[in-house]
Amino acid sequence: MGKGRTSNRGYPVFEKYNLLKKGTIQAHCTFLDSGELDQLVANQTAVAHCPLSNAYFSEKPFPLREALDKGVPVGLGTDVAGGYSIDILSSMRHAVATSRMREGARALASKSGVSTGNEPKTLAVEWKESLFLATRGGALALGLENSGHFQVGASFDAQEVSVIDWEKQAGVGGLDFFDVGSEMDGLTMDMIEKWWCMGDTRNRAGMSPSRLVIPPAPRHTPSLPAFQPHGSTSPPIQPTTELESSASSVINLDISDGILVHDVDAEVETTVNEESTAVGQIGDIADEQSRKTLRDQLRRTLSKKEATGALLLLSDISVFKRGLAPQSRKSTASCGPCGPFKPREYFVLTDAGKPVFIGYVPHPKYYELSSTMGIIQALISVFIDDGDKIRCINAGPLRITFLLRSPIYYVCASTWGEPESVARSHLEYLHLQILSIVTASQLRRIFERRTNFDLRRLLNGTEPFLFTLLKRLEFDLAMATSSLHCLQLDPSLRSRVADALVPMTKMKDTLYIILVAHGRVITLVRPRKHSIHPTDIHIIVNTIHSPSIFNSPAAASWIPVCLPKFNPAGFVNAYVAFLRKPESNEMGTSNIDASSLDVQGRVTNAPQQAGQLDAGIGLVCISGGGDFETVREWCDIVAEKLNGSGLLDSICDAIKSGRAHYTVSQLGIPGLRHFVYKSRPHVQVTFPVFEDPYEEIEERRRIITLYGIIYDAIHAKSGQSGPLKLQYIRTKREIVMGWITQPFELYIVLSPRLPKTAVINAANSVTRWVKKEEGKLFLRDAPVF
């Protein structure tokens, strides 16, 4: 507000339309005079002060000193489009620096006799005032009277700042203290001022969990300090009495949106008592009266004193155990999860008990299927009738996990030993894949009219989508971490490809343009200030690589698809064109054809590496409109451009030559076997290909299960007391460690012979290597339109 570069006055416009009132926040206000500041005070109108933006785009800075002296509510802010930094700590420094330059100009004018005599004694603002403006001042400007200060009953909206590492007797990050010792009296004002002057993201130890935080771009790669195991550990997923495990806790951080939307973990429902009375053998149950009898029996069992929790422990339900017979479990303390890893069984049914989809159950017969669905529906209904939800059943090595998304129920039976959250994640992906075919609003309308509707009628022919999804979930670490795994590519090549994908101006309804190779994204072009959720990308990639689409003889396909994280209630149109398809064994993979699927559409030849189902280079243009011809013509032009310029040949050459992936040996880190690095600002992961000793499928499944256990503990996804900063497990076969910081998450596998100091050095070496290579590993700064 105020006078712009064209000298137009904005203040009278706001005044004319009664916009200067309590609750209004005016931005910048660099040209307001004294009378107009008085008017803001009278109207209780607040100001958002962005000093860096003033320096870039205004002829004058905001008169901060005058505004504060008059009592204008001022909050310090950052402008994402108004400078090089969105860090509030930098904004505090800029506010002070700008005010002191104004004071210097005033002092010079006063000595020259130019002063009007109406200025305050000083125009400078102190660092303490800037800290107030960034915290309590901002809360007051927003009308949040109960926030921004430490008082009983106030909202705990806070940031934990660490200035001294007392164990190392040294300052944290860039802070230097020359007198750290036992004689220090604790935190002093000088320490706070030093943090204000020199602190950065390394001093951020935690945030209040209810807060969404926008961090600055990380400028430093944090180093893992000397390993000091803490007493608090997350509850083990399976009994591990001899397993060496250490953990340290920290509050997890939320991160702002970029190209991708950050996944927000659902609140975990915890239970009071996880052990309850065993229920005996249950036979075939097909009719409603039998189901009612079962519910009554379960309710009587659960009403006993020792069965107070929402988690039911069953010792023998034979119908769930077909093909999953319990075996004597080997101690996970010595080797972690042990095989053989029998295929997980998946069941999808409606809340009326009608089957929708069965995954990896060998040759199910109708009467067995009916009995199984009846038991599942009865188990779930017992808890629903009591106002509760069943989460999982533990029966020896068997865990049965439930996900209730009315009107559909999802169940996974597994003996892998993975945490509950892993199976629930698989079930959630199944749900979202079904929503991509039948939208949430369609499901709701259908089942409101007919509660016993047979959903298989609508999903007929789409089973291959679900089976390829399940196979992908078994090996895809990007899906396991809710992230995107991009194709490793030279940044200049990626940039040239992205520039060729920017759509024409007349394609107004275009949402996303994605180029995919080997099942991984090369680049993604999107509307300005509009992100896409990684889950939606996984749904798209899985859909286009389904055999019915990938092996279609047509040059291109139009697919109506619902992106559940974008809009679960409607469809968008996806134009899919495979610009290159491999011949047999080209790029080290083979195409999927009918021979690789069984009678139920399941993939029978398991992939050796994630992405082997996805050979080829595909162009996907997602549009919210129906201008099909314009999109098709534009995609044809893009295909010609990519071919004619040699960009497609360069991508294929990178894949064939092995430059699109890397191995741990390229890092040259002693004892390193594998790792998964997640860049939290980019919501992307990178990891090397699996090598010895994880070349065999069973070993790969075992290490992926260990990754799941560590990831679950770090993020407290299965009802643990809280998230962790570090989780360390040593088995006879390897060391697995998870480490989370604000810029990244690292999950690393090393030789079991390494001492902890070597583990720490290896972790730091991996982070430095990824930081150096991140231009190739991650999709950054893709063009927008």
Side-chain angles (χ1 to χ4, degrees):
M1 184 176 69
K3 184 172 69 175
R5 295 185 182 276
T6 58
S7 299
N8 292 326
R9 300 290 294 177
Y11 188 91
V13 176
F14 292 105
E15 192 173 34
K16 177 181 178 181
Y17 291 99
N18 194 32
L19 293 175
L20 299 179
K21 58 184 179 181
K22 184 176 182 180
T24 297
I25 303 175
Q26 297 284 359
H28 307 308
C29 301
T30 56
F31 281 87
L32 297 189
D33 57 32
S34 178
E36 290 166 339
L37 290 175
D38 290 333
Q39 191 66 27
L40 291 182
V41 176
N43 293 325
Q44 302 182 60
T45 300
V47 174
H49 176 37
C50 306
L52 185 59
S53 180
N54 292 176
Y56 268 81
F57 299 112
S58 178
E59 297 168 357
K60 291 178 61 179
F62 172 62
L64 178 58
R65 178 76 274 160
E66 296 93 319
L68 294 179
D69 289 347
K70 289 177 177 290
V72 177
V74 179
L76 200 59
T78 62
D79 191 342
V80 69
Y84 57 83
S85 174
I86 58 172
D87 185 8
I88 195 67
L89 190 55
S90 296
S91 190
M92 286 190 278
R93 296 163 183 158
H94 292 143
V96 172
T98 301
S99 72
R100 292 188 177 180
M101 293 179 69
R102 292 186 68 229
E103 168 57 20
R106 184 202 66 80
L108 288 175
S110 178
K111 291 179 181 179
S112 303
V114 184
S115 175
T116 62
N118 296 325
E119 297 94 343
K121 293 182 179 179
T122 179
L123 297 179
V125 173
E126 297 300 321
W127 71 270
K128 296 177 187 177
E129 293 177 287
S130 73
L131 183 57
F132 175 87
L133 295 177
T135 52
R136 179 62 173 164
L140 294 175
L142 291 169
L144 304 175
E145 301 287 342
N146 202 32
S147 183
H149 58 167
F150 293 101
Q151 287 189 2
V152 177
S155 299
F156 187 68
D157 187 7
Q159 175 185 147
E160 181 185 354
V161 177
S162 177
V163 295
I164 293 180
D165 186 333
W166 294 103
E167 294 179 356
K168 299 174 69 174
Q169 297 286 292
V172 175
L175 306 186
D176 287 327
F177 297 96
F178 303 103
D179 53 354
V180 177
S182 58
E183 68 277 3
M184 296 185 69
D185 294 330
L187 189 67
T188 66
M189 195 62 67
D190 288 340
M191 292 180 183
I192 299 176
E193 185 177 7
K194 182 168 287 191
W195 162 78
W196 184 93
C197 293
M198 303 179 63
D200 54 35
T201 57
R202 291 173 292 178
N203 299 105
R204 294 181 183 172
M207 297 282 186
S208 55
S210 62
R211 183 89 185 267
L212 290 178
V213 187
I214 303 177
R219 300 176 184 173
H220 305 276
T221 302
S223 294
L224 192 63
F227 185 85
Q228 295 291 337
H230 293 255
S232 60
T233 59
S234 62
I237 304 304
Q238 299 292 343
T240 54
T241 56
E242 300 174 1
L243 185 66
E244 181 179 350
S245 174
S246 300
S248 61
S249 60
V250 71
I251 294 177
N252 203 359
L253 303 177
D254 294 320
I255 301 183
S256 63
D257 295 343
I259 296 175
L260 303 173
V261 176
H262 292 258
D263 205 17
V264 179
D265 296 338
E267 182 178 350
V268 177
E269 298 173 10
T270 57
T271 60
V272 178
N273 179 15
E274 295 188 352
E275 295 188 359
S276 55
T277 303
V279 177
Q281 180 85 15
I282 300 176
D284 292 345
I285 301 168
D287 58 273
E288 182 57 32
Q289 181 58 40
S290 299
R291 295 178 186 176
K292 183 177 184 300
T293 302
L294 170 65
R295 285 196 294 267
D296 293 339
Q297 178 185 351
L298 289 173
R299 190 170 286 109
R300 286 193 300 270
T301 303
L302 294 173
S303 65
K304 296 182 180 181
K305 181 177 180 180
E306 61 269 29
T308 58
L311 186 65
L312 178 63
L313 179 65
L314 301 179
S315 64
D316 188 13
I317 301 181
S318 60
V319 73
F320 276 94
K321 296 184 179 179
R322 299 185 191 278
L324 289 167
Q327 301 176 358
S328 58
R329 180 181 292 276
K330 298 178 183 179
S331 171
T332 58
S334 61
C335 58
C338 297
F341 293 90
K342 297 183 179 180
R344 300 179 178 102
E345 297 183 2
Y346 297 87
F347 304 85
V348 183
L349 66 155
T350 67
D351 54 10
K354 286 188 174 292
V356 176
F357 171 77
I358 310 296
Y360 300 112
V361 180
H363 310 295
K365 297 179 181 178
Y366 178 79
Y367 72 90
E368 293 179 340
L369 181 61
S370 177
S371 299
T372 301
M373 295 303 177
I375 291 176
I376 295 173
Q377 196 269 347
L379 287 169
I380 294 172
S381 66
V382 167
F383 291 87
I384 291 178
D385 291 346
D386 292 336
D388 202 351
K389 287 183 180 180
I390 184 172
R391 292 184 62 89
C392 71
I393 295 171
N394 293 327
L398 174 65
R399 170 172 283 155
I400 306 169
T401 306
F402 299 79
L403 179 70
L404 311 185
R405 293 289 182 264
S406 185
I408 307 179
Y409 299 151
Y410 301 82
V411 182
C412 173
S414 172
T415 57
W416 285 33
E418 75 274 39
E420 173 201 341
S421 63
V422 172
R424 290 180 66 84
S425 172
H426 290 193
L427 297 178
E428 189 67 48
Y429 270 110
L430 266 179
H431 174 64
L432 295 176
Q433 186 71 61
I434 288 177
L435 289 188
S436 74
I437 303 166
V438 185
T439 67
S441 57
Q442 281 183 310
L443 282 177
R444 185 178 63 254
R445 289 195 301 268
I446 290 170
F447 284 91
E448 282 176 353
R449 290 194 296 263
R450 291 183 58 187
T451 57
N452 64 340
F453 180 79
D454 188 353
L455 192 57
R456 287 176 296 184
R457 292 165 51 188
L458 278 180
L459 298 179
N460 184 37
T462 64
E463 292 85 359
F465 293 101
L466 304 180
F467 283 112
T468 54
L469 176 75
L470 294 178
K471 182 54 63 178
R472 188 184 303 274
L473 284 166
E474 186 174 337
F475 296 97
D476 196 331
L477 292 167
M479 298 179 78
T481 55
S482 300
S483 311
L484 182 66
H485 187 202
C486 291
L487 190 74
Q488 180 178 325
L489 213 58
D490 182 82
S492 61
L493 176 58
R494 196 191 305 273
S495 177
R496 283 184 288 147
V497 171
D499 291 338
L501 300 185
V502 177
M504 302 179 295
T505 55
K506 62 180 180 179
M507 294 172 58
K508 296 181 180 179
D509 295 321
T510 302
L511 295 173
Y512 307 107
I513 300 167
I514 309 172
L515 191 66
V516 181
H518 248 223
R520 287 181 278 167
V521 171
I522 295 175
T523 191
L524 185 153
V525 182
R526 61 191 173 93
R528 190 179 303 275
K529 296 184 179 180
H530 194 73
S531 303
I532 183 171
H533 200 285
T535 299
D536 283 342
I537 296 181
H538 291 308
I539 294 297
I540 293 168
V541 171
N542 182 70
T543 299
I544 68 174
H545 288 99
S546 180
S548 59
I549 297 174
F550 184 84
N551 293 334
S552 172
S557 305
W558 277 104
I559 307 170
V561 61
C562 171
L563 302 181
K565 297 292 187 177
F566 174 75
N567 178 15
F571 286 100
V572 294
N573 297 308
Y575 181 88
V576 182
F578 280 93
L579 310 182
R580 295 284 176 91
K581 286 187 178 180
E583 300 297 332
S584 178
N585 295 326
E586 184 179 343
M587 302 183 193
T589 64
S590 60
N591 202 356
I592 297 178
D593 55 26
S595 64
S596 61
L597 301 176
D598 66 10
V599 292
Q600 293 188 354
R602 294 174 290 200
V603 180
T604 57
N605 298 321
Q608 297 299 306
Q609 293 282 2
Q612 284 190 328
L613 297 176
D614 310 322
I617 301 177
L619 175 64
V620 184
C621 181
I622 299 173
S623 172
D627 195 354
F628 301 127
E629 190 60 23
T630 300
V631 173
R632 185 192 63 78
E633 292 175 355
W634 177 81
C635 288
D636 289 343
I637 293 172
V638 170
E640 292 177 5
K641 186 186 301 184
L642 294 175
N643 266 311
S645 61
L647 293 175
L648 283 183
D649 290 333
S650 298
I651 295 171
C652 290
D653 182 66
I655 296 173
K656 291 178 182 178
S657 64
R659 299 195 307 273
H661 65 266
Y662 60 94
T663 63
V664 292
S665 59
Q666 293 176 235
L667 278 69
I669 300 174
L672 179 64
R673 293 182 176 178
H674 198 263
F675 69 89
V676 179
Y677 180 103
K678 177 177 179 178
S679 171
R680 302 185 75 197
H682 297 110
V683 203
Q684 297 174 43
V685 294
T686 181
F687 47 86
V689 296
F690 285 101
E691 298 177 284
D692 183 71
Y694 307 117
E695 290 180 323
E696 297 297 326
I697 287 293
E698 286 294 287
E699 280 302 295
R700 190 167 307 153
R701 286 170 173 156
R702 188 180 63 81
I703 203 63
I704 288 176
T705 302
L706 271 174
Y707 273 141
I709 292 172
I710 293 286
Y711 185 85
D712 177 87
I714 288 283
H715 292 274
K717 285 180 170 289
S718 295
Q720 295 93 329
S721 58
L724 302 172
K725 182 178 180 181
L726 194 68
Q727 177 76 14
Y728 175 97
I729 293 177
R730 184 194 297 269
T731 73
K732 287 186 177 180
R733 300 189 188 184
E734 63 268 311
I735 293 170
V736 185
M737 186 179 74
W739 174 31
I740 185 170
T741 72
Q742 185 173 351
F744 65 81
E745 298 174 29
L746 177 64
Y747 306 91
I748 188 169
V749 181
L750 305 111
S751 167
R753 299 182 179 89
L754 292 182
K756 289 182 178 178
T757 53
V759 173
I760 295 166
N761 292 334
N764 285 322
S765 297
V766 169
T767 61
R768 286 193 294 268
W769 182 86
V770 172
K771 187 69 176 176
K772 183 180 68 174
E773 300 290 333
E774 65 178 6
K776 296 179 181 179
L777 302 175
F778 301 128
L779 174 59
R780 305 183 305 174
D781 303 323
V784 296
F785 57 91

